[in-house]
Amino acid sequence: MSRLDVTEKIIAAKVSKGLKWSDVADQVGLSKEWVTAACLGQMTLGAEQAAVVADLFGLTDEEKKWLMVVPYKGSLPTSVPADPLIYRFYELVSVYGTTFKELIHEEFGDGIMSAIDFRMDLQREPHPAGDRVSITMSGKFLQPAL
Amino acid sequence: MSRLDVTEKIIAAKVSKGLKWSDVADQVGLSKEWVTAACLGQMTLGAEQAAVVADLFGLTDEEKKWLMVVPYKGSLPTSVPADPLIYRFYELVSVYGTTFKELIHEEFGDGIMSAIDFRMDLQREPHPAGDRVSITMSGKFLQPAL
Amino acid sequence: MSRLDVTEKIIAAKVSKGLKWSDVADQVGLSKEWVTAACLGQMTLGAEQAAVVADLFGLTDEEKKWLMVVPYKGSLPTSVPADPLIYRFYELVSVYGTTFKELIHEEFGDGIMSAIDFRMDLQREPHPAGDRVSITMSGKFLQPAL
Amino acid sequence: MSRLDVTEKIIAAKVSKGLKWSDVADQVGLSKEWVTAACLGQMTLGAEQAAVVADLFGLTDEEKKWLMVVPYKGSLPTSVPADPLIYRFYELVSVYGTTFKELIHEEFGDGIMSAIDFRMDLQREPHPAGDRVSITMSGKFLQPAL
Amino acid sequence: MSRLDVTEKIIAAKVSKGLKWSDVADQVGLSKEWVTAACLGQMTLGAEQAAVVADLFGLTDEEKKWLMVVPYKGSLPTSVPADPLIYRFYELVSVYGTTFKELIHEEFGDGIMSAIDFRMDLQREPHPAGDRVSITMSGKFLQPAL
Amino acid sequence: MSRLDVTEKIIAAKVSKGLKWSDVADQVGLSKEWVTAACLGQMTLGAEQAAVVADLFGLTDEEKKWLMVVPYKGSLPTSVPADPLIYRFYELVSVYGTTFKELIHEEFGDGIMSAIDFRMDLQREPHPAGDRVSITMSGKFLQPAL
Amino acid sequence: MSRLDVTEKIIAAKVSKGLKWSDVADQVGLSKEWVTAACLGQMTLGAEQAAVVADLFGLTDEEKKWLMVVPYKGSLPTSVPADPLIYRFYELVSVYGTTFKELIHEEFGDGIMSAIDFRMDLQREPHPAGDRVSITMSGKFLQPAL
Amino acid sequence: MSRLDVTEKIIAAKVSKGLKWSDVADQVGLSKEWVTAACLGQMTLGAEQAAVVADLFGLTDEEKKWLMVVPYKGSLPTSVPADPLIYRFYELVSVYGTTFKELIHEEFGDGIMSAIDFRMDLQREPHPAGDRVSITMSGKFLQPAL
Amino acid sequence: MSRLDVTEKIIAAKVSKGLKWSDVADQVGLSKEWVTAACLGQMTLGAEQAAVVADLFGLTDEEKKWLMVVPYKGSLPTSVPADPLIYRFYELVSVYGTTFKELIHEEFGDGIMSAIDFRMDLQREPHPAGDRVSITMSGKFLQPAL
Amino acid sequence: MSRLDVTEKIIAAKVSKGLKWSDVADQVGLSKEWVTAACLGQMTLGAEQAAVVADLFGLTDEEKKWLMVVPYKGSLPTSVPADPLIYRFYELVSVYGTTFKELIHEEFGDGIMSAIDFRMDLQREPHPAGDRVSITMSGKFLQPAL
């Protein structure tokens, strides 16, 4: 058994039980973004969180233990993602990557936006010409050590 | 001469003249995100915008015309970017790609967030434990046609 | 169980039962292009459509539920497809990609043809020197947001 | 000198002189799709066509000769194209590739749609919810020899 | 079950029963080149041909049906083949590819040799300094449509 | 200066002078296949052959010397060739590679067809349904040493 | 069953039975280099050799037959090998590849060292500063055919 | 100026002056294998060696200094080499890589053959059935530290 | 059964039994770095070490034997690692690779730091602004043989 | 002009003037590791540091300005580095990557060692059996935000 097996069981159980990520997040008591990522094998759950998730998805004790182990992260099967929804995010990096770089350096100097000390929030943004997806990201600025 | 030559001339002129993207954006009268992307060869400028940019960076008439031609977009030299700042955005897609997918589908059903009908805003977020980079993205939700 | 398993069961059942995609489409009541793509794991079916498809291919309730989940799309095993029929479409993109780009920009300005708000129709075009494949594509033009 | 040099000179001359592909095509007397592809180094011009193109873009005699030589075709700098407009066509192959394959084989049996004995037509399709790009493709069906 | 499973069963049965491709071809009544390719999952058999092949290799009815379905073609596990015998053919394309191109264009003008309307014949060519492999290929010349 | 520079000069001179490969071959006194490959940088010419080639294409003494140096061979810019004519040969390897392997081993046992002790001949094959390209290849069979 | 299955069974049986390649080679009566390569799926055994190998490793009759079939050769899971021992050989090709080329051409003219009509011998070379691995390779020189 | 420029100048000067690597090696007083590799930018020359090489190839003082700088090594333009002579060495690694690994571990235990503390010797091996290339390699065995 | 199976069993047993690598290392009597690497399939254990490890993780005799066989090393599923923790080490090589090269050559001349005769030590480094990971590496300098 | 041009000029000037990185670092007043990386285009210099570097390497004012601009980082020409010295570091990541991951998580829990808030020190470690390269790395541990 591996974490991947547990992730696949969670995904299958979600389809079978008709669960929603936002409901799972409410039960766990953390943001839907963090909880979804964790269930998809990208975050590590604490003992209480793992108990809630195991209960909701019907995991065994063995499987629950895997939720508390740091997973090998990275969720894409290919380096350039084929799925159209995920590709659009890759395209943002491809098209706006140098823009992100220029503007962050202009504001902060040399360094990066952390992808670890990082939080995000995804919401529906109602709009008369068609609703929009709104995503807010916040990552700590990190400076190179001298 | 090609658009790439013009982009490189703009970047070199910016270093040489000590310009800031936010000042260029103020002169052009559009957001710093859009203007920076346009100067870096990822957007197409209208005649008046091109005149302002050409003036600021000291471009010839020939070079100014290239600013009004739709460029071949995509700003990364390799499919997985090597630069640490840009890589962190790639890592967000790699780690959170399936999370984006699950949460957008849960809220909107099948479809994508447009990377074309898309706007973003990048700001410094002051924080006692170290300032943060804050990015807000807004993209139209698009549904598959039947 | 995953959507891939369901797709493979559909393909195997089609061979075993000798079904035709156009007949499946008639039963579902949508175009053969959309229904084939959906059965091959590239579209999401509504409850009624899924019921018809499940019935035709002999799927279980569990498998039927997967048809209503948005799949991870992209149907090629390699980034450059090896199959001769599919490669010819890749070659069209390779040879005519810049032509598509020039002519769409000449007609519409900066932007893209949507691959999501998109429909197509594939027909036999009788011809004395050998029949031809005729494909009509229609995708919404999308303009970058300022 | 190479065909690539000639193609780049044509593209630069088009920007400089403000020519339109549809006008070039009218002068050459062939479809805008074929003429654009030819000017972009994907087709071979006859002597008269080359003379018209050379005249419009201000090519030398040496450069005109290159237009009559069969070029090394394929216009993409990477196997998965980065430009958003061209990527959407790649995505169509990725998402609908197996659908094309199934429907062509269902109608014609084993074989392919030729990408050589091939014609296409690209038009604006007016639509109240936003105009659409309409592309019609016609390729001869080719059967494997026994 | 998939065509790949049937191909693997055929290959294993050939080892187990000690069959020869030329004998299979004689039974089917077509060239050894075409029949071998078909058994290896690169061609589509008609009903009578499939019956012969199924009989020789001990296939079930279900497996026989797969022989009549157009397979996803392309028989190499990597884009540059590792096996020395197959690599030599890749090397011929690599070393002589531009020579093929120059000589076909010199004789026929713009166009290609079809790999679909294509036949080949492979024979032993006795030679005092060591026998040689002789391969004759014949493919229809196809001209671009105007 | 490098062999690549000499090859490019030969190609440009051929366009400029309107030479034909078959005429060059007649002057050199060897097959058009070998001479074309040599001029394209895939073979090494002897002193007399180099003198003829240098004369025909107007090469300097320095350039002529490069023709007598064994070149770094392999004429494709990408491992999967983009040009449609050359791709068809790659497709033959991809589709028929395992067939070549099976039939050569069936006839000769373990070993390969040499791509070095190799000759080929390319001819027009007249045909009422459209002329065909005919290629005959002959390569020495090589057996593994014990 | 496939040759790969047989190779894996041989490797597992070797671990389980504690066999040594040099002992297997003695039993087969051929060099340890050839016999090891053969057991690892890179060479084809004759009937008597296969009987010895099958006996030593406890193979079934079916498995023994696979040893007499020419395998799909090439033993690396990635084109640049990750294993440090094997990588060092790749590095020799990378660092000394052009040196091999220059010196072989200087001695023999155009052509190659055959990797098929090839033998090698691997020995321990005692040395006061630490023993060394000594490998002697011998491959037939092959000249291009005119 | 870079080491690559110096390497290219050496190669061009060798063609122009008609030098032989073995003569260069005699002048330098080291093996032809080491000297050729050094001239091709894979080794670092001492002051006296550099003076000899600079003199033979007509290098400037500036260029001579580059010969004494450790170069960025690795001489292949692609990870799988296209040139037939060099590819055969890659094929040896691909086919015999696991054999090298098994036999070295059988003789020495865990560790590698060094590619740095390494020497080789390349000779013509006369043979009635055609002369052979003989290469002897000697690399220090290195054991993992505990 | 293969070494990979044994590695996976060890990893699963560690999760199930809640073992710590440092405790395993104490039992084995070697550094935690070496023992962890060995358990993860990157080192070879002696008979006594293997007995301890087999006992702790509940391995069978067959599985224990695999621990004493030199494994195929290299622990990354992709050449550029996706996991953020491991990627940071890749980034160090990418960003500081040329710096390592310059400084080692400046101190030692031509040669390398061995990755085989290599040891490392990983510790927590307490720090008021947040604890740090401290890694000390020691590898033997190796000089090219003349 | 670009930062890459400045980097290349620095490297060439270092060869020409015979400078040492440790001397440059002493002049700049920072560690040799940081200064070497900065001169190689991987760090950003402040005004005073840039003045010292410009003076030592003979840079123009224009070139000096580039030293104060954040560069596009990543110093490797290929994703798997070919140079033997740099490859050994890549091999450490490949072989010990999962070990780094396990031991850091065991000590710190989920998170990473920063490659930005990172310092290192490279020294010669004298040793009777041959001197060793000793590298100490220190990177801040970063925890995922909830």
Side-chain angles (χ1 to χ4, degrees), chain I:
Chain I
M1 190 192 299
S2 72
R3 176 68 181 258
L4 196 56
D5 297 325
V6 180
T7 301
E8 285 175 358
K9 183 166 175 185
I10 286 176
I11 292 171
K14 180 174 177 289
V15 171
S16 177
K17 292 169 188 279
L19 296 169
K20 294 189 67 175
W21 295 116
S22 53
D23 294 338
V24 176
D26 285 349
Q27 298 283 323
V28 173
L30 287 168
S31 77
K32 68 183 182 305
E33 290 78 14
W34 194 91
V35 172
T36 304
C39 288
L40 294 174
Q42 305 298 320
M43 292 289 157
T44 314
L45 289 97
E48 284 183 47
Q49 301 162 340
V52 177
V53 167
D55 192 50
L56 283 167
F57 292 101
L59 306 183
T60 65
D61 254 32
E62 192 78 8
E63 291 162 346
K64 188 178 69 180
K65 282 181 191 169
W66 275 103
L67 298 177
M68 295 182 275
V69 175
V70 187
Y72 190 96
K73 302 180 182 182
S75 65
L76 304 178
T78 49
S79 66
V80 178
D83 181 79
L85 184 142
I86 300 179
Y87 182 82
R88 294 309 178 274
F89 288 92
Y90 178 82
E91 190 172 290
L92 292 178
V93 181
S94 170
V95 169
Y96 294 109
T98 48
T99 297
F100 290 140
K101 183 170 174 68
E102 290 291 323
L103 294 177
I104 292 175
H105 292 327
E106 183 161 306
E107 178 64 32
F108 292 90
D110 197 355
I112 63 158
M113 178 183 84
S114 180
I116 301 296
D117 186 340
F118 174 85
R119 259 188 306 270
M120 67 169 179
D121 180 53
L122 191 153
Q123 299 293 342
R124 176 190 288 262
E125 179 190 344
H127 196 282
D131 287 3
R132 302 176 74 82
V133 180
S134 173
I135 300 175
T136 312
M137 297 172 162
S138 163
K140 190 179 184 182
F141 178 74
L142 300 177
Q143 210 169 356
L146 268 190

Side-chain angles (χ1 to χ4, degrees), chain G residues 73-91:
Chain G
K73 302 179 182 181
S75 64
L76 303 178
T78 49
S79 66
V80 178
D83 181 79
L85 183 142
I86 300 179
Y87 182 82
R88 295 307 179 276
F89 288 92
Y90 178 81
E91 190 171 290

Side-chain angles (χ1 to χ4, degrees), chain A residues 48-133:
Chain A
E48 283 182 47
Q49 301 162 340
V52 176
V53 167
D55 192 50
L56 283 167
F57 291 103
L59 306 183
T60 66
D61 254 32
E62 193 77 7
E63 290 161 346
K64 188 178 68 181
K65 281 181 190 169
W66 275 102
L67 297 177
M68 295 182 275
V69 175
V70 187
Y72 190 95
K73 301 179 183 182
S75 64
L76 303 178
T78 49
S79 66
V80 178
D83 181 79
L85 183 142
I86 300 179
Y87 182 81
R88 294 310 178 274
F89 287 92
Y90 178 80
E91 190 172 289
L92 292 178
V93 181
S94 170
V95 169
Y96 294 109
T98 48
T99 297
F100 290 140
K101 184 171 174 67
E102 289 291 324
L103 293 178
I104 292 175
H105 291 328
E106 182 160 306
E107 177 65 32
F108 293 90
D110 196 354
I112 63 157
M113 178 183 83
S114 180
I116 301 296
D117 187 340
F118 175 84
R119 259 189 305 271
M120 67 169 179
D121 181 53
L122 191 154
Q123 300 293 344
R124 176 189 287 263
E125 178 190 343
H127 196 282
D131 287 2
R132 302 177 73 84
V133 180

Side-chain angles (χ1 to χ4, degrees), chain J:
Chain J
M1 191 194 297
S2 73
R3 175 68 182 259
L4 197 56
D5 297 324
V6 179
T7 302
E8 286 175 356
K9 183 165 175 187
I10 287 175
I11 293 171
K14 179 175 178 290
V15 172
S16 178
K17 294 168 188 279
L19 297 169
K20 295 190 66 175
W21 294 118
S22 51
D23 294 338
V24 176
D26 285 350
Q27 298 283 324
V28 173
L30 288 168
S31 77
K32 68 181 181 307
E33 289 77 14
W34 193 93
V35 171
T36 305
C39 288
L40 295 174
Q42 305 298 320
M43 292 290 157
T44 314
L45 288 97
E48 284 181 45
Q49 302 162 339
V52 176
V53 168
D55 192 51
L56 283 167
F57 291 102
L59 305 183
T60 66
D61 254 33
E62 192 77 8
E63 290 163 346
K64 187 178 69 180
K65 282 182 189 168
W66 275 104
L67 297 178
M68 296 182 272
V69 174
V70 187
Y72 190 96
K73 302 180 181 180
S75 65
L76 304 177
T78 50
S79 66
V80 178
D83 181 79
L85 183 143
I86 300 179
Y87 183 81
R88 295 306 179 276
F89 288 91
Y90 179 81
E91 189 171 290
L92 292 178
V93 181
S94 170
V95 169
Y96 293 109
T98 48
T99 297
F100 290 139
K101 185 172 173 67
E102 289 292 324
L103 293 177
I104 292 175
H105 292 326
E106 183 160 306
E107 178 64 30
F108 292 90
D110 197 353
I112 63 160
M113 177 182 83
S114 180
I116 303 293
D117 187 341
F118 174 86
R119 259 188 307 270
M120 66 169 181
D121 180 52
L122 192 153
Q123 300 293 343
R124 176 189 287 263
E125 179 190 342
H127 196 281
D131 288 2
R132 301 176 74 82
V133 181
S134 172
I135 300 175
T136 313
M137 296 171 164
S138 164
K140 190 178 183 183
F141 178 72
L142 300 178
Q143 211 169 354
L146 267 189

Side-chain angles (χ1 to χ4, degrees), chain E residues 14 20-22 32-33 36-37 40 42-43 73-76 79-80 83-86 88-108 111-113 115-120 122 124-125 129-141, chain F residues 14 20-22 32-33 36-37 40 42-43 73-76 79-80 83-86 88-108 111-113 115-120 122 124-125 129-141:
Chain E
K14 179 173 177 291
K20 296 188 65 175
W21 295 117
S22 53
K32 68 181 181 307
E33 290 78 14
T36 304
L40 294 174
Q42 305 298 319
M43 292 288 157
K73 302 180 182 181
S75 65
L76 304 177
S79 66
V80 178
D83 181 80
L85 183 142
I86 300 180
R88 295 307 179 276
F89 288 92
Y90 178 80
E91 190 170 290
L92 293 178
V93 181
S94 170
V95 169
Y96 293 109
T98 47
T99 297
F100 290 140
K101 184 172 172 67
E102 289 291 325
L103 293 177
I104 292 175
H105 292 326
E106 183 160 307
E107 176 65 31
F108 292 89
I112 63 159
M113 177 183 84
I116 302 296
D117 186 340
F118 175 85
R119 260 187 306 270
M120 66 170 181
L122 192 153
R124 176 189 287 263
E125 178 189 343
D131 287 1
R132 303 176 72 84
V133 181
S134 173
I135 300 176
T136 312
M137 297 173 163
S138 163
K140 189 178 183 183
F141 178 73
Chain F
K14 180 174 176 290
K20 295 189 67 176
W21 296 116
S22 52
K32 68 182 181 305
E33 289 78 15
T36 304
L40 294 174
Q42 305 299 319
M43 292 289 158
K73 302 179 182 182
S75 65
L76 303 179
S79 66
V80 177
D83 181 79
L85 183 144
I86 300 179
R88 295 307 179 275
F89 287 92
Y90 178 81
E91 190 172 289
L92 292 178
V93 181
S94 169
V95 169
Y96 293 110
T98 47
T99 297
F100 291 139
K101 184 171 173 67
E102 290 291 323
L103 293 178
I104 292 175
H105 292 327
E106 183 160 305
E107 177 65 30
F108 293 89
I112 62 159
M113 177 183 83
I116 302 295
D117 187 341
F118 175 84
R119 258 190 307 269
M120 66 169 180
L122 191 153
R124 178 189 285 263
E125 178 190 344
D131 286 3
R132 303 176 72 84
V133 181
S134 173
I135 300 175
T136 312
M137 298 173 161
S138 163
K140 191 179 183 181
F141 178 74

